[in-house]
């Protein structure tokens, strides 16, 4: 598969439409005509990761953190942050980044962090809403099943645990074929009456174009009749942060030990309103937010939970959270997001397998760096 085609696929797989307005998610470097046969997945794109990708003959790096955030005036081998770009270009290695969209998407990084810490019954802390549409097509009765089948295969009528949700109304269509037409039924210049069915469904914005083209391709009419309505319904299955419940209540001391074990870290920083007796405080509900959680401060203050696990948070935001009665745990930006390497790899492998795409997916061994919180 060439890069331009794969990039379009990745945009859908990783919900590029959920990326925050300031983010630099998506394809950042690459020759759009290059064939992609091997992908290296990493948290960060650093100089050592560029060397790793070259040594593994990778054609594409899929990273969580964008390689380029701010505009640059030069790309020089003498400058950190620029020499990586030059090295990647010289070796023909493309870079695709899935950042805040992967944080937010269903099954994304916040879901992965929450499940790794043993949380269930998850709720979104701050929802993001995708645009949905109502798709309606009119078809002759004899084509009903074939068209409905295509709708279902192309993402129409799919919502959470339900698929192929359509509403069907039978009626009578009329038309007069004009000069130069090639009507499916009837004669030019004469009124035609056809028993038709109106098939309608909801469809996510990211699937709309594919759905329309797929239906037009199998529709028997020379000019398929269909409508698209932008709907105002707000369906939230994505967003930043998650809040859930532990399988059983446990002391903060025990929960702290489980965090270190689950994330493979030696230590973390934490803060609470009162230190005395904090180790025995019962933890039942926990909110999590990978990376920097400053933008979620007010949401985290108001949410019903006993502890908040974040990557990082500034001091004054942390004070607000603990004044709300929570214990705040900051495991480190990288430590809260290093799960992305496994998560992104699993999503890619599953997608390629389901679609019979022959692309190898490798995990970087050098693309994640953690802060050291103590001298030992």
């Amino acid at each position: 598969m060439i890069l331009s085609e794969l990039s379009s696929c990745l945009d859908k797989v990783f919900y590029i439409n959920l990326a925050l307005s300031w983010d630099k998610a998506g394809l950042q470097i690459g020759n759009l005509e290059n064939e992609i046969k091997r992908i290296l997945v990493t948290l960060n794109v650093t100089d050592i990761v560029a060397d790793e990708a070259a040594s593994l003959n990778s054609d594409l790096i899929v990273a969580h953190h964008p390689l380029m955030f701010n505009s640059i005036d030069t790309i020089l081998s003498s400058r950190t942050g620029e020499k990586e770009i030059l090295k990647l270009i010289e070796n023909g290695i493309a870079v695709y980044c899935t950042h805040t969209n992967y944080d937010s998407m269903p099954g994304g990084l916040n879901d992965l962090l929450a499940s790794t810490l043993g949380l269930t019954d998850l709720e979104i802390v701050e929802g993001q809403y995708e645009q949905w549409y109502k798709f309606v097509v009119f078809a002759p009765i004899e084509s009903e099943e074939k068209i409905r089948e295509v709708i279902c295969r192309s993402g129409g009528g799919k919502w959470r645990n339900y698929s192929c949700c359509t509403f069907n109304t039978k009626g009578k269509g009329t038309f007069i074929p004009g000069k130069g037409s090639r009507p499916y039924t009837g004669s030019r210049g004469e009124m035609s009456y056809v028993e038709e069915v109106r098939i309608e469904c909801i469809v996510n914005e990211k699937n709309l174009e594919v759905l329309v083209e797929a239906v037009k391709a199998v529709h028997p009419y020379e000019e398929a009749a269909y409508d698209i309505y932008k709907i105002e319904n707000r369906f939230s299955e994505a967003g930043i942060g998650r809040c859930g419940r532990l399988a059983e209540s446990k002391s903060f001391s025990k929960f702290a030990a489980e965090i270190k074990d689950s994330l493979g870290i030696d230590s973390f920083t934490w803060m609470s309103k009162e230190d005395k007796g904090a180790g025995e405080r019962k933890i039942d509900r926990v909110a999590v937010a990978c990376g920097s959680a400053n933008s979620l401060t007010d949401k985290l203050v108001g949410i019903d939970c006993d502890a908040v696990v974040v990557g990082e948070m500034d001091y004054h935001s942390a004070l607000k959270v603990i004044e709300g009665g929570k214990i705040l745990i900051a495991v480190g930006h990288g430590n809260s997001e290093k799960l992305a390497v496994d998560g992104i790899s699993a999503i890619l492998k599953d997608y390629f397998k389901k679609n019979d795409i022959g692309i190898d997916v490798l995990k970087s061994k050098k693309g994640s760096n953690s802060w050291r919180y103590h001298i030992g």
Side-chain angles (χ1 to χ4, degrees):
M1 181 178 284
I2 64 172
L3 181 60
S4 60
E5 296 171 345
L6 179 58
S7 178
S8 296
C9 292
L10 296 182
D11 285 349
K12 294 183 174 65
V13 171
F14 291 106
Y15 293 69
I16 192 72
N17 55 308
L18 291 177
L20 298 179
S21 59
W22 50 264
D23 199 9
K24 308 298 181 185
L27 188 63
Q28 292 201 310
I29 292 178
N31 183 330
L32 296 178
E33 300 305 314
N34 278 2
E35 189 76 21
I36 305 300
K37 297 180 180 178
R38 178 169 291 177
I39 293 173
L40 182 67
V41 179
T42 183
L43 181 63
N44 307 307
V45 185
T46 59
D47 188 46
I48 196 169
V49 170
D51 288 334
E52 183 184 20
S55 69
L56 293 171
N57 295 316
S58 298
D59 308 296
L60 171 66
I61 293 174
V62 174
H64 181 48
H65 290 135
L67 171 61
M68 295 175 283
F69 248 122
N70 302 311
S71 60
I72 54 177
D73 299 316
T74 58
I75 303 179
L76 303 177
S77 61
S78 59
R79 295 186 178 181
T80 298
E82 296 179 15
K83 61 183 178 181
E84 297 91 332
I85 300 171
L86 184 61
K87 186 177 295 184
L88 291 165
I89 293 173
E90 288 176 340
N91 284 281
I93 301 170
V95 176
Y96 183 96
C97 302
T98 174
H99 191 211
T100 54
N101 47 317
Y102 179 56
D103 291 339
S104 303
M105 63 180 265
L109 188 49
N110 274 292
D111 280 326
L112 185 55
L113 177 59
S115 63
T116 299
L117 297 181
L119 301 179
T120 59
D121 302 326
L122 298 181
E123 303 168 6
I124 296 168
V125 175
E126 183 172 67
Q128 285 178 269
Y129 301 95
E130 300 179 87
Q131 181 61 57
W132 286 74
Y133 293 83
K134 174 68 68 70
F135 174 76
V136 179
V137 62
F138 301 86
I141 297 293
E142 61 268 24
S143 300
E144 177 181 356
E145 290 303 324
K146 180 167 67 175
I147 289 176
R148 186 183 298 107
E149 189 177 304
V150 167
I151 287 173
C152 297
R153 284 204 312 263
S154 304
K158 181 170 176 56
W159 173 245
R160 291 188 177 172
N161 296 324
Y162 295 86
S163 61
C164 211
C165 303
T166 67
F167 190 79
N168 307 270
T169 311
K170 291 182 179 178
K172 185 172 290 187
T174 65
F175 57 89
I176 300 175
K179 184 179 179 180
S181 64
R182 291 178 287 110
Y184 167 72
T185 186
S187 302
R188 293 174 186 165
E190 297 181 6
M191 178 68 77
S192 294
Y193 298 87
V194 185
E195 295 297 325
E196 292 185 325
V197 60
R198 169 190 169 114
I199 307 172
E200 55 187 286
C201 68
I202 60 170
V203 57
N204 189 291
E205 183 176 32
K206 69 177 184 292
N207 293 321
L208 178 61
E209 183 179 351
V210 170
L211 173 63
V212 172
E213 293 306 313
V215 169
K216 287 167 64 177
V218 300
H219 201 290
Y221 288 176
E222 184 179 13
E223 297 290 343
Y226 64 91
D227 298 324
I228 298 171
Y229 304 97
K230 192 173 185 178
I231 60 177
E232 298 301 321
N233 305 57
R234 290 166 68 84
F235 304 127
S236 178
E237 60 173 348
I240 302 294
R242 299 292 186 268
C243 184
R245 187 178 300 277
L246 294 169
E248 60 180 22
S249 296
K250 56 193 66 177
S251 68
F252 172 52
S253 295
K254 185 176 180 181
F255 181 52
E258 291 180 357
I259 290 175
K260 290 191 286 185
D261 184 58
S262 298
L263 298 182
I265 57 178
D266 296 324
S267 59
F268 56 73
T269 57
W270 64 279
M271 185 186 293
S272 70
K273 194 171 182 179
E274 298 288 343
D275 289 350
K276 187 176 180 181
E280 298 307 312
R281 280 180 57 179
K282 289 296 181 184
I283 307 298
D284 181 35
R285 284 178 55 81
V286 179
V288 302
C290 60
S292 175
N294 292 320
S295 65
L296 289 179
T297 300
D298 291 338
K299 292 282 186 180
L300 294 172
V301 169
I303 203 165
D304 176 23
C305 66
D306 308 299
V308 175
V309 180
V310 301
E312 61 185 355
M313 179 173 275
D314 69 44
Y315 180 71
H316 296 288
S317 295
L319 284 179
K320 284 187 178 182
V321 172
I322 67 166
E323 284 297 312
K326 286 91 170 168
I327 294 177
L328 178 69
I329 300 157
V331 299
H333 194 119
N335 287 333
S336 72
E337 295 188 333
K338 62 184 181 180
L339 297 168
V341 176
D342 284 337
I344 292 171
S345 298
I347 290 172
L348 289 173
K349 288 178 180 179
D350 183 62
Y351 178 77
F352 294 153
K353 182 178 180 180
K354 285 182 178 177
N355 292 277
D356 195 26
I357 298 173
I359 297 179
D360 293 332
V361 178
L362 307 177
K363 299 178 189 177
S364 173
K365 297 179 180 179
K366 303 175 180 179
S368 174
N369 301 84
S370 298
W371 291 99
R372 274 63 169 176
Y373 291 109
H374 61 281
I375 302 296

